[in-house]
Amino acid sequence: MNLTEVKEHIVKSGLKATHQRMIVLQNLSNDSSHPTAEKLYDSLQMYNPSLSLSTVYRILDDLVEVGLINQVATKGGIKRYDANITPHNHIYCNITNEIFDFYDEELHQVIKDFFEKKQIANFKISDIKMQVNGFKVDLDQKVSFKQ
Amino acid sequence: MNLTEVKEHIVKSGLKATHQRMIVLQNLSNDSSHPTAEKLYDSLQMYNPSLSLSTVYRILDDLVEVGLINQVATKGGIKRYDANITPHNHIYCNITNEIFDFYDEELHQVIKDFFEKKQIANFKISDIKMQVNGFKVDLDQKVSFKQ
DNA sequence: TTTCTAAACAGGAATCATTCCTATCAATTA
DNA sequence: TAATTGATAGGAATGATTCCTGTTTAGAAA
Protein backbone atom coordinates (compact mmCIF):
# COMPACT_ATOMS: atom_id res chain seq x y z
CA MET A 1 0.00 0.00 0.00
CA ASN A 2 1.13 3.56 -0.65
CA LEU A 3 0.55 6.44 1.75
CA THR A 4 -2.61 7.62 0.01
CA GLU A 5 -4.25 4.23 0.26
CA VAL A 6 -3.15 3.87 3.86
CA LYS A 7 -4.65 7.25 4.70
CA GLU A 8 -7.96 6.33 3.06
CA HIS A 9 -8.16 3.11 5.03
CA ILE A 10 -7.46 4.80 8.34
CA VAL A 11 -9.94 7.61 7.75
CA LYS A 12 -12.60 5.13 6.67
CA SER A 13 -12.07 3.21 9.90
CA GLY A 14 -12.98 6.29 11.92
CA LEU A 15 -9.49 6.93 13.31
CA LYS A 16 -7.54 10.11 12.66
CA ALA A 17 -4.89 9.68 10.01
CA THR A 18 -1.88 10.68 12.05
CA HIS A 19 1.61 10.33 10.64
CA GLN A 20 2.50 7.60 13.12
CA ARG A 21 -0.56 5.53 12.30
CA MET A 22 0.07 5.85 8.60
CA ILE A 23 3.68 4.73 8.69
CA VAL A 24 2.90 1.82 11.01
CA LEU A 25 0.10 0.56 8.79
CA GLN A 26 2.09 1.13 5.61
CA ASN A 27 5.11 -0.67 6.96
CA LEU A 28 3.03 -3.61 8.14
CA SER A 29 1.12 -3.81 4.87
CA ASN A 30 4.38 -4.12 2.96
CA ASP A 31 5.81 -6.78 5.28
CA SER A 32 4.68 -10.35 4.80
CA SER A 33 6.70 -11.72 7.72
CA HIS A 34 3.97 -11.15 10.34
CA PRO A 35 6.29 -9.00 12.45
CA THR A 36 6.18 -8.21 16.17
CA ALA A 37 5.63 -4.70 17.52
CA GLU A 38 9.32 -4.41 18.27
CA LYS A 39 10.34 -5.53 14.80
CA LEU A 40 8.11 -2.87 13.24
CA TYR A 41 9.51 -0.29 15.63
CA ASP A 42 13.04 -1.22 14.54
CA SER A 43 12.13 -0.94 10.85
CA LEU A 44 10.61 2.48 11.38
CA GLN A 45 13.32 3.88 13.65
CA MET A 46 15.73 4.77 10.85
CA TYR A 47 13.40 7.25 9.17
CA ASN A 48 11.29 8.12 12.21
CA PRO A 49 13.63 8.43 15.16
CA SER A 50 11.08 10.19 17.35
CA LEU A 51 8.54 7.38 17.10
CA SER A 52 8.27 5.63 20.44
CA LEU A 53 7.86 1.93 21.08
CA SER A 54 4.81 2.40 23.26
CA THR A 55 3.17 4.32 20.43
CA VAL A 56 3.76 1.40 18.09
CA TYR A 57 2.14 -0.94 20.62
CA ARG A 58 -0.84 1.35 21.09
CA ILE A 59 -1.31 1.95 17.38
CA LEU A 60 -1.24 -1.77 16.65
CA ASP A 61 -3.89 -2.30 19.32
CA ASP A 62 -6.01 0.45 17.80
CA LEU A 63 -5.67 -0.91 14.27
CA VAL A 64 -6.70 -4.37 15.47
CA GLU A 65 -9.62 -2.81 17.32
CA VAL A 66 -11.02 -1.18 14.16
CA GLY A 67 -10.27 -4.25 12.07
CA LEU A 68 -7.59 -2.82 9.78
CA ILE A 69 -5.09 -5.46 10.83
CA ASN A 70 -5.12 -8.80 12.65
CA GLN A 71 -3.23 -10.14 15.61
CA VAL A 72 -1.83 -13.56 14.80
CA ALA A 73 -2.24 -16.39 17.30
CA THR A 74 1.09 -18.02 18.13
CA LYS A 75 2.28 -20.42 20.77
CA GLY A 76 5.37 -18.37 21.51
CA GLY A 77 3.76 -15.76 23.72
CA ILE A 78 4.91 -12.88 21.52
CA LYS A 79 2.30 -10.98 19.58
CA ARG A 80 2.63 -10.78 15.82
CA TYR A 81 0.59 -8.78 13.37
CA ASP A 82 -0.80 -9.20 9.88
CA ALA A 83 -2.14 -6.51 7.54
CA ASN A 84 -3.75 -9.14 5.35
CA ILE A 85 -7.37 -9.05 6.48
CA THR A 86 -8.77 -11.12 3.65
CA PRO A 87 -9.72 -14.68 4.65
CA HIS A 88 -6.59 -16.80 4.72
CA ASN A 89 -4.79 -19.36 6.81
CA HIS A 90 -1.31 -19.71 8.20
CA ILE A 91 1.55 -22.12 7.74
CA TYR A 92 3.93 -22.14 10.74
CA CYS A 93 7.51 -23.32 10.55
CA ASN A 94 8.50 -24.68 13.97
CA ILE A 95 12.18 -24.30 13.16
CA THR A 96 12.44 -20.76 11.80
CA ASN A 97 9.23 -19.38 13.37
CA GLU A 98 8.26 -18.06 9.97
CA ILE A 99 4.58 -17.69 9.17
CA PHE A 100 3.30 -17.98 5.62
CA ASP A 101 -0.15 -17.11 4.33
CA PHE A 102 -2.15 -19.45 2.19
CA TYR A 103 -5.62 -19.50 0.79
CA ASP A 104 -7.61 -22.05 -1.13
CA GLU A 105 -11.09 -21.32 -2.38
CA GLU A 106 -12.19 -24.93 -2.40
CA LEU A 107 -11.04 -25.54 1.18
CA HIS A 108 -12.66 -22.30 2.31
CA GLN A 109 -15.96 -23.38 0.81
CA VAL A 110 -15.86 -26.85 2.33
CA ILE A 111 -15.31 -25.47 5.82
CA LYS A 112 -17.93 -22.77 5.39
CA ASP A 113 -20.46 -25.37 4.28
CA PHE A 114 -19.55 -27.59 7.19
CA PHE A 115 -20.31 -24.95 9.80
CA GLU A 116 -23.51 -23.98 8.10
CA LYS A 117 -24.71 -27.54 8.32
CA LYS A 118 -23.45 -28.38 11.81
CA GLN A 119 -24.24 -25.91 14.52
CA ILE A 120 -22.46 -24.88 17.70
CA ALA A 121 -25.14 -24.27 20.29
CA ASN A 122 -25.01 -20.88 22.05
CA PHE A 123 -22.10 -19.69 19.89
CA LYS A 124 -21.90 -17.15 17.08
CA ILE A 125 -18.94 -17.70 14.73
CA SER A 126 -17.10 -14.61 13.57
CA ASP A 127 -14.27 -16.33 11.73
CA ILE A 128 -12.50 -19.62 11.27
CA LYS A 129 -8.74 -19.93 11.00
CA MET A 130 -6.61 -22.89 10.16
CA GLN A 131 -3.00 -23.38 11.19
CA VAL A 132 -0.75 -25.76 9.37
CA ASN A 133 2.19 -26.56 11.64
CA GLY A 134 5.37 -28.25 10.51
CA PHE A 135 8.81 -27.38 9.26
CA LYS A 136 10.70 -26.28 6.20
CA VAL A 137 12.58 -29.12 4.56
CA ASP A 138 15.35 -26.94 3.12
CA LEU A 139 15.73 -23.91 5.36
CA ASP A 140 17.31 -21.86 2.60
CA GLN A 141 14.51 -22.43 0.13
CA LYS A 142 11.10 -20.84 -0.01
CA VAL A 143 7.84 -22.44 1.02
CA SER A 144 5.06 -22.25 -1.54
CA PHE A 145 1.54 -23.47 -1.72
CA LYS A 146 0.78 -25.12 -5.04
CA GLN A 147 -2.67 -24.83 -6.50
CA MET B 1 -6.81 -39.32 35.00
CA ASN B 2 -5.94 -40.79 38.35
CA LEU B 3 -2.45 -40.77 39.84
CA THR B 4 -1.65 -44.28 38.62
CA GLU B 5 -2.50 -43.47 35.03
CA VAL B 6 -0.59 -40.20 35.27
CA LYS B 7 2.45 -42.04 36.60
CA GLU B 8 2.31 -44.56 33.75
CA HIS B 9 2.14 -41.82 31.15
CA ILE B 10 5.09 -39.93 32.59
CA VAL B 11 7.27 -43.02 32.91
CA LYS B 12 6.41 -44.08 29.38
CA SER B 13 7.48 -40.64 28.11
CA GLY B 14 10.96 -41.20 29.53
CA LEU B 15 10.70 -38.64 32.33
CA LYS B 16 10.95 -39.55 35.98
CA ALA B 17 7.60 -39.64 37.71
CA THR B 18 8.25 -37.04 40.37
CA HIS B 19 5.49 -35.89 42.66
CA GLN B 20 5.46 -32.41 41.15
CA ARG B 21 5.18 -33.69 37.60
CA MET B 22 2.38 -36.05 38.56
CA ILE B 23 0.22 -33.46 40.26
CA VAL B 24 0.73 -30.95 37.47
CA LEU B 25 -0.25 -33.45 34.79
CA GLN B 26 -3.15 -34.80 36.83
CA ASN B 27 -4.49 -31.36 37.52
CA LEU B 28 -4.24 -30.34 33.88
CA SER B 29 -5.83 -33.57 32.66
CA ASN B 30 -8.84 -32.93 34.86
CA ASP B 31 -9.22 -29.32 33.78
CA SER B 32 -10.90 -28.62 30.47
CA SER B 33 -10.45 -24.85 30.69
CA HIS B 34 -7.04 -24.80 28.99
CA PRO B 35 -5.44 -23.05 31.97
CA THR B 36 -2.31 -20.91 32.15
CA ALA B 37 0.75 -21.90 34.18
CA GLU B 38 -0.25 -19.48 36.89
CA LYS B 39 -3.79 -20.80 37.06
CA LEU B 40 -2.49 -24.34 37.53
CA TYR B 41 -0.08 -23.10 40.17
CA ASP B 42 -2.96 -21.47 42.06
CA SER B 43 -5.05 -24.64 41.91
CA LEU B 44 -2.16 -26.71 43.24
CA GLN B 45 -1.05 -24.28 45.95
CA MET B 46 -3.68 -25.29 48.47
CA TYR B 47 -2.55 -28.88 48.76
CA ASN B 48 1.05 -28.39 47.68
CA PRO B 49 2.29 -25.18 49.28
CA SER B 50 5.94 -25.94 48.62
CA LEU B 51 5.46 -26.20 44.85
CA SER B 52 7.04 -23.22 43.18
CA LEU B 53 5.75 -21.30 40.20
CA SER B 54 8.96 -21.69 38.25
CA THR B 55 8.70 -25.44 38.72
CA VAL B 56 5.23 -25.38 37.22
CA TYR B 57 6.56 -23.46 34.22
CA ARG B 58 9.46 -25.85 33.76
CA ILE B 59 7.31 -28.96 34.16
CA LEU B 60 4.82 -27.69 31.60
CA ASP B 61 7.68 -27.08 29.17
CA ASP B 62 8.99 -30.59 29.80
CA LEU B 63 5.58 -32.18 29.32
CA VAL B 64 5.10 -30.31 26.04
CA GLU B 65 8.60 -31.40 24.98
CA VAL B 66 7.81 -35.10 25.41
CA GLY B 67 4.36 -34.71 23.88
CA LEU B 68 2.23 -35.46 26.95
CA ILE B 69 0.45 -32.11 26.70
CA ASN B 70 0.03 -29.30 24.17
CA GLN B 71 0.57 -25.60 24.30
CA VAL B 72 -2.41 -23.77 22.90
CA ALA B 73 -1.86 -20.91 20.46
CA THR B 74 -3.73 -17.77 21.50
CA LYS B 75 -3.73 -14.17 20.39
CA GLY B 76 -3.46 -12.91 23.93
CA GLY B 77 0.22 -13.57 24.42
CA ILE B 78 -0.37 -15.74 27.48
CA LYS B 79 0.45 -19.41 27.20
CA ARG B 80 -2.28 -21.93 27.90
CA TYR B 81 -2.06 -25.69 28.10
CA ASP B 82 -4.16 -28.67 27.10
CA ALA B 83 -3.81 -32.27 28.25
CA ASN B 84 -6.02 -33.45 25.40
CA ILE B 85 -3.51 -34.70 22.86
CA THR B 86 -5.97 -36.45 20.58
CA PRO B 87 -6.67 -34.60 17.32
CA HIS B 88 -9.18 -31.86 17.99
CA ASN B 89 -9.87 -28.23 17.29
CA HIS B 90 -10.68 -25.19 19.40
CA ILE B 91 -13.59 -22.83 19.75
CA TYR B 92 -12.57 -19.43 21.18
CA CYS B 93 -14.96 -17.07 22.87
CA ASN B 94 -13.69 -13.52 22.35
CA ILE B 95 -15.76 -12.25 25.26
CA THR B 96 -14.95 -14.72 28.04
CA ASN B 97 -11.64 -16.01 26.63
CA GLU B 98 -12.92 -19.53 27.15
CA ILE B 99 -11.60 -22.27 24.89
CA PHE B 100 -13.70 -25.32 24.05
CA ASP B 101 -12.58 -28.48 22.33
CA PHE B 102 -14.43 -29.98 19.43
CA TYR B 103 -13.86 -32.80 17.03
CA ASP B 104 -15.65 -33.99 13.94
CA GLU B 105 -14.54 -37.07 12.08
CA GLU B 106 -15.96 -35.95 8.74
CA LEU B 107 -14.25 -32.55 8.91
CA HIS B 108 -11.01 -34.15 9.99
CA GLN B 109 -11.10 -36.44 6.97
CA VAL B 110 -11.90 -33.67 4.49
CA ILE B 111 -8.95 -31.59 5.66
CA LYS B 112 -6.62 -34.58 5.70
CA ASP B 113 -7.62 -35.46 2.15
CA PHE B 114 -7.17 -31.88 1.04
CA PHE B 115 -3.54 -31.68 2.20
CA GLU B 116 -2.75 -35.05 0.71
CA LYS B 117 -3.96 -33.85 -2.66
CA LYS B 118 -2.53 -30.32 -2.59
CA GLN B 119 1.09 -30.00 -1.63
CA ILE B 120 3.06 -27.30 0.13
CA ALA B 121 6.46 -27.17 -1.53
CA ASN B 122 9.47 -27.45 0.80
CA PHE B 123 7.26 -27.99 3.86
CA LYS B 124 6.57 -31.06 5.98
CA ILE B 125 3.27 -30.89 7.87
CA SER B 126 3.26 -32.18 11.43
CA ASP B 127 -0.25 -31.19 12.37
CA ILE B 128 -3.19 -29.04 11.36
CA LYS B 129 -5.31 -27.09 13.83
CA MET B 130 -8.50 -25.18 13.30
CA GLN B 131 -9.72 -22.31 15.43
CA VAL B 132 -13.32 -21.25 15.44
CA ASN B 133 -13.47 -17.69 16.78
CA GLY B 134 -16.60 -15.97 17.89
CA PHE B 135 -18.62 -15.37 21.01
CA LYS B 136 -21.10 -16.99 23.34
CA VAL B 137 -24.62 -15.78 22.78
CA ASP B 138 -25.75 -16.31 26.36
CA LEU B 139 -22.72 -15.95 28.60
CA ASP B 140 -24.30 -17.98 31.38
CA GLN B 141 -25.10 -20.95 29.20
CA LYS B 142 -22.79 -23.64 27.92
CA VAL B 143 -21.44 -23.95 24.43
CA SER B 144 -21.88 -27.32 22.79
CA PHE B 145 -21.04 -28.81 19.46
CA LYS B 146 -23.92 -30.79 18.02
CA GLN B 147 -23.19 -33.81 15.90
C1' DT C 1 -5.71 31.60 8.67
C1' DT C 2 -5.61 31.40 13.53
C1' DT C 3 -7.37 29.46 17.73
C1' DC C 4 -9.00 25.87 20.42
C1' DT C 5 -9.57 21.28 22.27
C1' DA C 6 -9.84 16.48 22.38
C1' DA C 7 -7.07 13.00 20.77
C1' DA C 8 -2.58 11.24 20.11
C1' DC C 9 2.23 10.96 21.15
C1' DA C 10 7.10 10.53 23.50
C1' DG C 11 9.63 8.87 26.91
C1' DG C 12 10.25 6.57 30.78
C1' DA C 13 8.42 3.94 34.75
C1' DA C 14 5.79 0.08 36.11
C1' DT C 15 3.79 -4.39 35.52
C1' DC C 16 3.20 -9.01 34.19
C1' DA C 17 4.52 -13.43 32.34
C1' DT C 18 8.31 -16.15 31.85
C1' DT C 19 13.05 -17.69 32.33
C1' DC C 20 17.32 -18.02 34.70
C1' DC C 21 20.31 -18.91 38.61
C1' DT C 22 21.99 -21.22 42.65
C1' DA C 23 21.67 -23.70 46.72
C1' DT C 24 19.23 -27.64 48.32
C1' DC C 25 17.02 -32.07 48.00
C1' DA C 26 16.00 -36.85 46.26
C1' DA C 27 16.98 -40.86 43.97
C1' DT C 28 20.24 -43.99 42.10
C1' DT C 29 24.56 -46.31 41.82
C1' DA C 30 29.06 -47.68 43.48
C1' DT D 1 27.71 -44.75 53.23
C1' DA D 2 29.58 -41.64 49.65
C1' DA D 3 29.30 -39.92 45.14
C1' DT D 4 26.76 -38.67 41.14
C1' DT D 5 22.95 -37.03 38.70
C1' DG D 6 18.62 -35.00 37.99
C1' DA D 7 14.90 -32.20 39.93
C1' DT D 8 13.06 -28.56 42.82
C1' DA D 9 12.41 -24.07 45.65
C1' DG D 10 12.80 -19.55 45.84
C1' DG D 11 14.14 -15.47 44.37
C1' DA D 12 16.47 -12.52 40.93
C1' DA D 13 16.61 -11.18 36.18
C1' DT D 14 14.69 -10.57 31.70
C1' DG D 15 11.68 -9.36 28.03
C1' DA D 16 7.30 -7.99 26.27
C1' DT D 17 3.70 -5.06 27.08
C1' DT D 18 1.06 -1.52 29.43
C1' DC D 19 0.63 2.56 32.09
C1' DC D 20 1.48 7.37 33.33
C1' DT D 21 2.38 12.30 32.66
C1' DG D 22 3.66 16.20 30.28
C1' DT D 23 3.79 17.78 25.45
C1' DT D 24 2.30 17.94 20.70
C1' DT D 25 -0.88 17.59 16.89
C1' DA D 26 -5.03 17.03 13.80
C1' DG D 27 -8.93 18.81 12.57
C1' DA D 28 -12.97 21.49 13.84
C1' DA D 29 -14.64 26.10 14.73
C1' DA D 30 -14.12 30.98 14.60
Side-chain angles (χ1 to χ4, degrees):
Chain A
M1 271 204 272
N2 61 39
L3 266 187
T4 313
E5 291 172 292
V6 163
K7 188 166 188 171
E8 279 171 17
H9 279 87
I10 294 177
V11 169
K12 194 176 288 179
S13 79
L15 295 176
K16 284 185 190 170
T18 66
H19 181 66
Q20 289 88 338
R21 280 175 181 154
M22 290 193 286
I23 60 174
V24 168
L25 180 54
Q26 186 184 31
N27 209 266
L28 183 61
S29 72
N30 295 325
D31 183 340
S32 65
S33 73
H34 307 79
T36 62
E38 195 133 12
K39 199 157 167 300
L40 278 169
Y41 171 71
D42 289 344
S43 314
L44 291 165
Q45 265 299 300
M46 193 185 297
Y47 299 109
N48 305 273
S50 77
L51 178 69
S52 82
L53 178 58
S54 56
T55 297
V56 174
Y57 274 105
R58 191 172 21 70
I59 286 175
L60 288 169
D61 282 353
D62 293 344
L63 294 177
V64 168
E65 180 80 18
V66 298
L68 286 179
I69 66 172
N70 279 136
Q71 209 174 289
V72 181
T74 64
K75 290 183 183 175
I78 297 178
K79 293 178 184 171
R80 296 172 67 165
Y81 297 86
D82 190 352
N84 179 358
I85 51 172
T86 64
H88 69 280
N89 298 302
H90 287 145
I91 299 169
Y92 285 77
C93 176
N94 291 325
I95 301 175
T96 63
N97 289 317
E98 284 168 294
I99 301 175
F100 308 101
D101 288 349
F102 83 94
Y103 176 73
D104 183 88
E105 179 57 36
E106 183 193 330
L107 183 62
H108 182 71
Q109 200 55 49
V110 166
I111 293 167
K112 221 179 124 199
D113 290 349
F114 178 85
F115 283 101
E116 266 162 27
K117 199 175 56 181
K118 305 233 178 172
Q119 300 281 316
I120 303 172
N122 193 38
F123 195 81
K124 179 85 173 59
I125 295 174
S126 51
D127 75 287
I128 297 167
K129 288 267 156 65
M130 187 177 295
Q131 307 187 332
V132 179
N133 302 298
F135 51 89
K136 283 171 96 169
V137 177
D138 181 339
L139 298 183
D140 301 324
Q141 296 297 310
K142 291 210 298 186
V143 165
S144 67
F145 183 69
K146 291 180 180 170
Q147 290 296 26
Chain B
M1 272 204 271
N2 61 39
L3 265 186
T4 313
E5 291 172 292
V6 163
K7 189 167 188 171
E8 279 171 17
H9 278 87
I10 294 176
V11 170
K12 194 176 289 179
S13 79
L15 294 177
K16 284 186 189 168
T18 64
H19 181 67
Q20 289 88 337
R21 282 176 180 155
M22 291 193 288
I23 60 175
V24 167
L25 180 54
Q26 187 183 32
N27 208 266
L28 183 61
S29 74
N30 295 324
D31 183 341
S32 64
S33 74
H34 307 78
T36 62
E38 195 133 13
K39 199 156 168 299
L40 278 169
Y41 171 72
D42 289 344
S43 314
L44 291 164
Q45 265 299 300
M46 192 184 298
Y47 298 110
N48 305 274
S50 76
L51 179 70
S52 81
L53 178 58
S54 57
T55 297
V56 173
Y57 274 104
R58 192 172 21 68
I59 287 175
L60 288 170
D61 281 353
D62 294 344
L63 295 177
V64 168
E65 180 80 17
V66 299
L68 285 178
I69 65 172
N70 279 136
Q71 208 174 290
V72 181
T74 63
K75 290 183 186 174
I78 298 178
K79 293 178 183 171
R80 296 172 68 164
Y81 298 86
D82 188 353
N84 180 358
I85 51 172
T86 64
H88 68 281
N89 298 301
H90 287 145
I91 299 168
Y92 284 77
C93 175
N94 290 326
I95 300 175
T96 64
N97 288 318
E98 285 169 293
I99 300 175
F100 309 100
D101 288 348
F102 83 94
Y103 176 73
D104 183 88
E105 179 56 38
E106 183 193 329
L107 183 61
H108 182 70
Q109 200 56 50
V110 166
I111 292 167
K112 221 178 124 200
D113 290 349
F114 178 85
F115 282 102
E116 266 162 26
K117 199 175 55 180
K118 306 234 178 173
Q119 301 281 316
I120 303 172
N122 193 39
F123 195 80
K124 179 86 174 59
I125 296 174
S126 51
D127 75 287
I128 296 166
K129 289 267 156 64
M130 186 177 293
Q131 307 188 333
V132 179
N133 301 298
F135 50 90
K136 285 170 95 170
V137 177
D138 181 339
L139 297 182
D140 302 324
Q141 296 297 310
K142 291 211 298 186
V143 165
S144 67
F145 183 71
K146 289 180 181 170
Q147 291 297 22

